[in-house]
Amino acid sequence: MRATLYLSAGNVVVDDVPDASISEPTDAVVRVVRAAVCGSDLWSYRGIINRAERSRLGHEFIGIVAEVGDEVRTVRPGDLVVAPFQWSDNTCPACLDGIQTSCERGGTFGAAGTDGGQGEAVRVPYADGTLVAVPGGMDGTGESLYPALLAASDVMGTGLHGAVLAGVTEGSTVAVIGDGAVGLCAVLGARSILGAERVILMSRHADRTAVGKLFGATDVIAERGDEGIAAVRELTGGLGVRHVVEAVGTPESWSMAVGMAREGGSIGAVGVPHTAPTLPLFPPLIHHLSLNLGIAPVRRYLPDLISCITAGTLDPGPVFDTVLPLEDVARGYAAMAARESIKAMLTMQP
Amino acid sequence: MRATLYLSAGNVVVDDVPDASISEPTDAVVRVVRAAVCGSDLWSYRGIINRAERSRLGHEFIGIVAEVGDEVRTVRPGDLVVAPFQWSDNTCPACLDGIQTSCERGGTFGAAGTDGGQGEAVRVPYADGTLVAVPGGMDGTGESLYPALLAASDVMGTGLHGAVLAGVTEGSTVAVIGDGAVGLCAVLGARSILGAERVILMSRHADRTAVGKLFGATDVIAERGDEGIAAVRELTGGLGVRHVVEAVGTPESWSMAVGMAREGGSIGAVGVPHTAPTLPLFPPLIHHLSLNLGIAPVRRYLPDLISCITAGTLDPGPVFDTVLPLEDVARGYAAMAARESIKAMLTMQP
């Protein structure tokens, strides 16, 4: 089969690899229909982190179940499924707490020895705990919903989780730091799912701002740093916002998040940094902040996200502004690395 | 009047100062009945932070209202009152959110230009927003309750706040890091007020451990660092605890807190550090932690704490293991600095 391989910084290719196959009775093999390039895929592409030569890439995909192991009960060959970016057994203590990204037996697609999402097929461990079937399947689900379903595999669930961690509820005012696909989906989740009344998006890129507004941002602030903080405070009577979604993960974005939060406010942080930032604790202490972090357990949200998408009440699909065939994956990486594209979707041969 | 003054590291004295007096119509003057020495008073005493020569000391006191300004409505001369360690107007946005330690007009007793608690009398700004009268007053409240009421002015409210921030509820398992008066009161608050089932106290001092057990600690762990973390994990089936109270505020204690928390756990942090620690954010991100910080808004809890104390259902008084007349305050500082005393209570001439 064909799959995307990392060669070196700035250099990814599609090449022949061994076919995905069942190796455990809890596995499924999924034939990929759509896959995406993630901002975190760019770390190695930009040379910020090391990655093994010829390692598989990609962890966001939807597809058709091709084969299941003997112990798989909840999905069947032919099902249209969404995979969250990590697999999970959904039965360990962390999974039962809804934290499937801390699963004892979990792992990320594309890690050493596993299939990546940016390929023709993927072996999915713990298929019952990982995959969620789309009601109606291929026949009942139009291709027009594939971008939204693909977004649910990572960025939509991650953005929503950021808003949930920030404590957003009906009527909330929330600021979102980060206008990448996750930040944009945080806007959508806060507005469309959690009922926020006012969503302030920190964004300075016209293409991203446009999607942010489409997703329900009520205010957009282009300034960063202290100027960005001042602008948010001006919009909120000087008090700051009760809810902040931190969807970047750098010291600068954390500093903004702390600076714009109201006394007693909550920060939901889903920005996964490629370095390990440290946070000065005195400001959150004297301002009584609640800092809620987590690599989003997308599996927790998937059933509801899929329901909303198939019901037509949620459409995160517009985060994909680039669509390419798998064989052109390198162009997707290049466009995203150059910030010419928010997020690239790959299509496979039917 | 007589009041405690800071002279230099290791050197505090009681000397004559101008009498406390009303300067604003919202002021009250309180004649101090009992005052306490706080762990944070030791920072300047130990020379860790600078403090102005002859500045007033102390921010924990109970007393009798001697005089009130024209606009004071809720307390009257003769009332027995508890003062939280900061004054607050109780009407600004932060106060209305129950975060009186972020009051727009707030301040700490003993700050430049104010009276300290370790003296014969204190001018209390915003008396209505600050002081809480003890039902029954002097006649109805025996001296035996004074230690408990004095503890309510800071450490009991602070310890309870730590447990509240850690999300402790009925049946919780919680670990408390710090066996100073605040940590001990966190044990008491978690057990007696919030209904925790199991409270693991990290303590290696026999006198503090004894008070911790009296306050309801079900387990005591003497180990620190990685050994302390391992011991907590062993007590919790390897999973760690869902709720951690961080009542120290150093990098080491934070590291322990993060290390012993269960996936998705909550840390309530009320340890006020004399330096400004920084926290590596990657561990709380991958372990899905909620970090809830705050300098305790004791005023929020005071009415309930006073009710429990006068009803006889709560007694944090045993945190005071040293009782001295005001004139001997230096002995209290020395004993606490040498860790020969958990906390010192000062008595005033009637």
Side-chain angles (χ1 to χ4, degrees), chain A residues 93-94 97 99 101-102 104 161 239 242 254 262-265 269-273 275-282 284-297, chain B residues 93-94 97 99 101-102 104 161 239 242 254 262-265 269-273 275-282 284-297:
Chain A
D97 279 346
I99 313 175
T101 33
S102 287
E104 290 176 1
H161 189 59
L239 296 172
R242 287 191 197 273
W254 266 99
R262 180 177 171 136
E263 300 293 308
V270 288
V272 179
T275 55
T278 60
L279 183 75
L281 288 174
F282 205 66
L285 179 72
I286 63 171
H287 296 300
H288 301 261
L289 302 188
S290 175
L291 317 176
N292 306 283
L293 301 87
I295 294 173
Chain B
D97 279 345
I99 314 175
T101 34
S102 287
E104 291 176 0
H161 189 58
L239 296 172
R242 286 192 198 273
W254 267 98
R262 180 176 170 136
E263 299 295 307
V270 289
V272 179
T275 56
T278 60
L279 184 74
L281 287 175
F282 205 65
L285 179 73
I286 61 172
H287 296 300
H288 301 261
L289 302 188
S290 174
L291 318 175
N292 306 282
L293 301 86
I295 294 174

Side-chain angles (χ1 to χ4, degrees), chain B residues 216-255:
Chain B
T218 52
D219 303 85
V220 176
I221 291 176
E223 288 83 0
R224 292 185 184 173
D226 289 343
E227 291 178 0
I229 291 169
V232 170
R233 290 197 169 267
E234 198 181 314
L235 285 179
T236 52
L239 296 172
V241 281
R242 286 192 198 273
H243 312 280
V244 183
V245 179
E246 197 296 301
V248 180
T250 61
E252 293 75 21
S253 62
W254 267 98
S255 177

